[in-house]
Amino acid sequence: MIVLFVDFDYFFAQVEEVLNPELKGKPVAVCVFSGRFKDSGAIATSNYEARKLGIKSGMPIPKAKEIAPNAIYLPIRKDLYKQVSDRIMYGILSKYSSKIEIASIDEAYLDITDKVKDYYEAYQLGKKIKDEIYQKEKITVTIGIAPNKVFAKIIAEMNKPNGLGILKPEEVEGFIRSLPIDEVPGVGDSIYSKLREMGIKYLYDVLKVDFEKLKNEIGKSKASYLYSLANNTYAEPVKEKVRKHIGRYVTMKKNSRDIKEILPYLKKAIDEAYSKANGGIPKTLAVVAIMEDLDIVSREKTFNFGISKDKAYLEAEKLLEEIIKSDKRRLRRVGVRLGKIYKSTTLDNFFNNV
């Protein structure tokens, strides 16, 4: 098996840099404000300039501002980041492998075993993927290539940011012997403390400990996981995850509030979204408007039955009208998000299933 892992570099903050190039080179932190009081909440992610100042993910915003008062603190815009992620995941990465596992909004595993002859070709494919993502989205990613998912993820982590690392089969044994145990995904502070007490410093050291003892200390599943990695028998496949939502967004030639001007773009987004559903029928439809100031406004409706594309045209127009009436700004982009997607061999019955 040859696994290619893609990790988007400091993703949320990088999207903000792409949208506002003036941020590039400055310390930027994207924040989840709780709203309980001014600056309550935590840091979602930060760029490398901010990390050099000590700002880390999960850090309380007041503490971050105490450490770096002159950094730029931006509110999180999850819908916007999700759009960019979808374009990369489904518009670019899915072309390179039919076996793709989207682990999170900014991480994906690709099984490229059937796509390349050897690790040299795998490396060239990795370069091609990096180049296409940057060319189309101006987003840098780090790629790790290895014989399994876990090692591919670790190799990517070692090559951040904007890197491309590779671990060949003949290098695995040396890698296992030299890999610090706390660099293995899933080994948190609590487990790391227990492993160190047992004398486990590197991944290979796991094999020196009786399995029953290890199981009693950290649990059977975690012990089995570490043993399989240390023995180089770990082979969890890349699993394609069911998409809960499909979104498609279209940029208009000019900003507008005229429904007649907007509708053709909205219908195009619907056509593309239904095409990506591969015969699936949604029960939830949302119209998403990206306003002229890049703010996002949406309206959503859930049905008791699956809706056809023609039905979606009509319902989407109604939702668009609601957005126009409730907001005085012009729209820059418009799109749709399909949810609760089902497949049925008897579509006539499905459409009328109440």
Side-chain angles (χ1 to χ4, degrees), residues 207-226:
L207 301 178
K208 301 175 184 178
V209 178
D210 180 71
F211 180 78
E212 288 299 317
K213 181 181 178 181
L214 188 65
K215 184 178 73 172
N216 291 336
E217 288 292 332
I218 66 174
K220 182 178 179 180
S221 62
K222 192 69 73 175
S224 298
Y225 164 70
L226 292 178

Side-chain angles (χ1 to χ4, degrees), residues 255-259 262 324-325 327-331:
N255 297 347
S256 177
R257 286 178 47 81
D258 187 332
I259 290 181
I262 300 170
I324 297 293
K325 289 178 181 178
D327 199 295
K328 301 300 180 184
R329 292 170 294 184
R330 294 175 298 174
L331 280 68

